[in-house]
Amino acid sequence: MATELPTTDIRISTEAIRRRKGGTPIVCLTAYTYPVARLLDDHVDLLLVGDSVAMVLHGHKTTLGASLEMMIAHGQAVMRGSARACVVVDLPAGTYEDSAALAVASARRVVDETGCHAVKLEGGVDMNRQIAAIVDAGIPVMGHIGLQPQSVEKDGGYKIKGRTEEAVAALLRDALAVENAGAFSVVIEGTVETVAADITRSIAIPTIGIGASGDCDGQILVIDDMVGLTVDRVPKFVKEYADLRGVISHAAETYAAEVRSRTFPGPGHVFSATKSRDDA
């Protein structure tokens, strides 16, 4: 169960995440809402308000449905529910790619309006100027290389990365570019296992794997995938640790049956005419 939010400042900083390179694996999950952030906060090191929210909660086919306003609203909700974890918010597609100035402006707005501790953006060599500019502006950045969901339309779908020598070399260049630009960590997604492991050994900042390698410095999953709540296709790399689809479906079925049979609401769920201990 979620605990009461502590009043002391016990935040895990981005610098603390950086120092975890090669140490105890970094535990990361996505979060998009206040109650989920409350439930996860005691158990994770980092909460990512991912642009996957566009698909998971808003029903878009890709992450391209996310807007800056959407990310800010969900970032605010997660920050209200988190007291311990390092909170990172994704910069959505179209808010950073065109120029370093645009990237800094978007990152600044996200941090100022949510209070989050860092932003994440996709890209390697092609985004090193944007990452460096945001870091120079005093905002920590998490990188994201390998399979990049914001580029699925350009790539022709969700394609695993690192299956040719040329692709492997490009991935390493991307990882080094992200590191050299000043990012405190980098997500490696949808990448051949041995390649992700080699990248992890080749750079000095922590790697966070998703569909990558157990040798990465940490792991992340989409919370809805992890708890078995995803109603569409579940990616191969996901392990479902619960079956909330079944739990919710069964609860709704039971509720519907009780409403139709007039067994709900029962005496314990209605109010009497006299004031008593049954006040709402």
Side-chain angles (χ1 to χ4, degrees), residues 61-79:
K61 295 297 183 183
T62 71
T63 63
L64 298 178
S67 66
L68 201 60
E69 290 71 25
M70 183 187 294
M71 300 311 303
I72 288 169
H74 288 285
Q76 290 169 340
V78 169
M79 283 299 296

Side-chain angles (χ1 to χ4, degrees), residues 242-260:
D243 177 23
L244 292 195
R245 286 188 300 273
V247 170
I248 292 173
S249 180
H250 176 70
E253 180 183 23
T254 304
Y255 166 73
E258 291 190 2
V259 169
R260 290 170 182 140

Side-chain angles (χ1 to χ4, degrees), residues 14-24 26 119-121 123-124 131 135 140-145 171-188 196-209 215-218:
T14 57
E15 185 55 35
I17 297 293
R18 184 196 294 269
R19 291 196 301 266
R20 293 275 289 276
K21 177 70 180 180
T24 302
I26 302 160
V119 297
K120 181 172 78 66
L121 59 83
I131 294 171
V135 172
V141 175
M142 171 181 274
H144 185 142
I145 65 170
L171 283 166
L172 182 55
R173 287 195 297 271
D174 281 341
L176 291 169
V178 169
E179 177 186 7
N180 292 334
F184 73 93
S185 62
V186 60
V187 170
I188 304 177
D198 286 344
I199 290 172
T200 297
R201 289 187 286 268
S202 299
I203 62 176
I205 59 173
T207 60
I208 309 298
D215 287 340
C216 289
D217 298 296

Side-chain angles (χ1 to χ4, degrees), residues 124-152:
V125 172
D126 57 334
M127 289 296 133
N128 64 339
R129 289 174 53 254
Q130 284 84 337
I131 294 171
I134 296 171
V135 172
D136 286 346
I139 299 171
V141 175
M142 171 181 274
H144 185 142
I145 65 170
L147 192 159
Q148 298 172 35
Q150 293 178 7
S151 299
V152 291

